[in-house]
Amino acid sequence: MGCKMNSNGGPEGRRFDVLVVGNGALGLSLALTLTRRGQRVALLGESHRPWAGSTAAGAMLGCFGEVTTSLVASDHGRAKLELGIEATRMWPQWLAELDEETGGGDSIKTADGTTLILNTIGIPEIDDANFAAIRAELVRYAEPFHDVDPADLDWVDSEPLSRPLKAFHIPGEHAVNPVALMERLESAFTTAGGTVITELATAVVHDRDRVTGVTLANGDSISAGQVVLAAGARTQALLDTLPVGPRIPKLVSGYGVSALVKTVDGTSPSSVIRTPNRSFACGLHVLPRGQGEVYLGATNVISSEPRDIAEMRDLVFLLQCAHRQVRRNLWDSHVAKVQVGNRPVSVDGFPLLGDGGMDGLWIMTGTYRDGLHLSPLLAQEMTARILGEAPRAALAPFTPVRPPLQAWSRERIVEDVVHHTIAIGYEQDWKIPVEWDGWIENDLRPATLSWAEEIDPEFTPPPELLFLSRQIPDLAKILREYYAASREGAGAAAR
């Protein structure tokens, strides 16, 4: 039987086989998988999980709904999609094992499948294109789906100007309650003999090129043969304490706001209802949470630092989108809880998974919107690597120590920025003369290209980072310094 320790619990001086820093869905899943394999594992993280993405997530168990034309336009994007497909296949057994190890209880599954809607809010270059791309990938990978007449959509009652034009249902992409999931993961972990340490790590301890543990906020230190950094957006603060840090893409936060709402009529949909991804974000999605409660999600704003308080503009935008685009009587419902989460976003847009470039150091983050969904697969794959076994999935494209990944051309990224910027206006119901969006595009395109060249002559960040770096000086500084360090490192290696 494992245990929980706080600052008075006395873990200092005890040595573990593996220390997992970060107690979100990824960290918990890895810690449990390692403990099942007989490892002495300590899981480190504050119990209320400040800045985490998992606790504020919709926890959709699927990858096809996240497909965009940009994702499948690069080899790295397709590699990420195929990891997601494999993870989807693992979830039924993963949940069954958790039920067996924790005694089960109420089901943590909250939604039966996912319904994609294409409505009148979006713009063709994004919504129509992404809707078509999702269908194309479902066909490519032989994933079942079926069309739904918008008039027959369960629970959808949008305002007329936001009505759905097309829809289809993916029966294999469900959702779970993330809080219940993490409670069950932690219970299984401690039952298997794992140790939970409810403290914040402030630095990684190392001896030359060997990582030996971490230092806690209370001054204690924890020693381990292997250290895994899975602390989401906060991982960057720990990487900054290591000499390997400059060789790894920087992490920023995809700050987001979601809400739990008690519906006025006590009803909820049976499935996930969502739009394609749009406006630099993850599309609008509404999920059932039981007992007349629904989850509304979620905004996405790149931030140089994790945030823990919602901005009014994001909450208002989210609530307006939900009642206009999905169900009008949500406007009369009660907001039970406002949630803030931080998705870990690498500055090249792809995950950081694997060997951290120092003996005993592993990194498991940068998964953006996909961490919870990928957690069973990544837990299995990282466990194999930590134990020196042959892995099954190809994580090599996402090795943490790497030059910046340039998945798309500068011209493609600039075009995405222009289209997503225009889409923000339409989603917020702007009123402009018919020809003005063309004039705005014509001004945005050269201005965005000029800004990309100011950031770096060679590397271009993903669209959402390029867009917001014009407004956030700290983000622009992070990008410039990272690209300069990458170029300097490449030059040193060549010499």
Side-chain angles (χ1 to χ4, degrees), residues 33-381:
T33 304
L34 285 164
T35 303
R36 286 171 174 169
R37 297 293 307 278
Q39 298 295 293
R40 292 170 299 166
V41 181
L43 178 72
L44 182 60
E46 294 175 287
S47 57
H48 61 296
R49 296 182 174 87
W51 312 294
S54 301
T55 51
M60 295 177 284
L61 307 183
C63 55
F64 288 103
E66 292 289 318
V67 165
T68 65
T69 55
S70 293
L71 180 74
V72 296
S74 75
D75 292 341
H76 285 91
R78 187 160 296 281
K80 187 178 178 185
L81 171 60
E82 291 180 351
L83 290 177
I85 293 170
E86 183 61 30
T88 300
R89 299 185 181 120
M90 295 179 68
W91 270 98
Q93 182 179 349
W94 182 249
L95 292 176
E97 289 172 351
L98 284 178
D99 281 349
E100 182 178 343
E101 292 169 349
T102 61
D106 294 337
S107 173
I108 61 175
K109 183 177 159 184
T110 63
D112 186 13
T114 292
T115 300
L116 259 292
I117 60 174
L118 175 65
N119 62 22
T120 58
I121 289 294
I123 67 173
E125 295 87 346
I126 297 175
D127 288 64
D128 291 37
N130 287 343
F131 189 84
I134 294 167
R135 290 178 65 96
E137 296 308 318
L138 287 164
V139 171
R140 178 194 293 266
Y141 291 99
E143 181 70 16
F145 73 99
H146 60 268
D147 290 317
V148 179
D149 187 328
D152 297 331
L153 284 172
D154 177 37
W155 205 73
V156 174
D157 178 34
S158 57
E159 68 173 18
L161 292 179
S162 304
R163 66 189 183 277
L165 304 172
K166 298 178 181 179
F168 59 83
H169 185 75
I170 309 172
E173 298 207 337
H174 309 297
V176 295
N177 184 317
V179 175
L181 172 67
M182 289 189 288
E183 288 174 352
R184 201 159 292 184
L185 286 167
E186 186 169 313
S187 174
F189 171 63
T190 56
T191 299
T195 299
V196 174
I197 302 172
T198 56
E199 288 289 339
L200 178 70
T202 57
V204 181
V205 180
H206 61 99
D207 181 8
R208 298 180 183 176
D209 289 333
R210 173 78 195 179
V211 166
T212 60
V214 300
T215 301
L216 306 181
N218 65 4
D220 288 348
S221 61
I222 309 294
S223 297
Q226 310 279 341
V227 175
V228 183
L229 301 184
R234 277 211 74 259
T235 302
Q236 187 59 51
L238 297 171
L239 288 172
D240 287 342
T241 68
L242 292 170
V244 75
R247 293 187 285 147
I248 297 172
K250 295 286 186 181
L251 287 161
V252 294
S253 167
Y255 145 80
V257 175
S258 60
L260 298 179
V261 171
K262 287 284 188 181
T263 61
V264 67
D265 54 11
T267 66
S268 60
S270 59
S271 71
V272 175
I273 298 171
R274 65 164 299 167
T275 69
N277 288 348
R278 60 156 77 115
S279 304
F280 300 114
C282 44
L284 174 66
H285 45 280
V286 178
L287 295 75
R289 280 287 172 86
Q291 299 180 333
E293 187 171 81
V294 294
Y295 170 97
L296 310 180
T299 65
N300 182 63
V301 179
I302 298 298
S303 172
S304 56
E305 295 287 342
R307 305 188 198 179
D308 58 2
I309 299 175
E311 288 191 4
M312 182 175 174
R313 76 179 82 184
D314 298 315
L315 178 60
V316 170
F317 171 69
L318 174 66
L319 298 179
Q320 287 181 335
C321 286
H323 92 88
R324 290 179 60 209
Q325 298 182 45
V326 178
R327 191 171 177 86
R328 283 178 281 185
N329 75 1
L330 285 173
W331 198 244
D332 300 314
S333 299
H334 304 284
V335 178
K337 187 177 182 181
V338 176
Q339 304 178 127
V340 175
N342 293 274
R343 308 169 184 91
V345 185
S346 73
V347 293
D348 63 16
F350 290 103
L352 308 176
L353 304 170
D355 186 336
M358 298 177 69
D359 287 344
L361 177 66
W362 302 89
I363 300 174
M364 187 185 188
T365 188
T367 46
Y368 209 167
R369 293 187 285 266
D370 304 316
L372 188 145
H373 172 61
L374 291 173
S375 56
L377 173 66
L378 295 185
Q380 169 187 282
E381 293 302 317

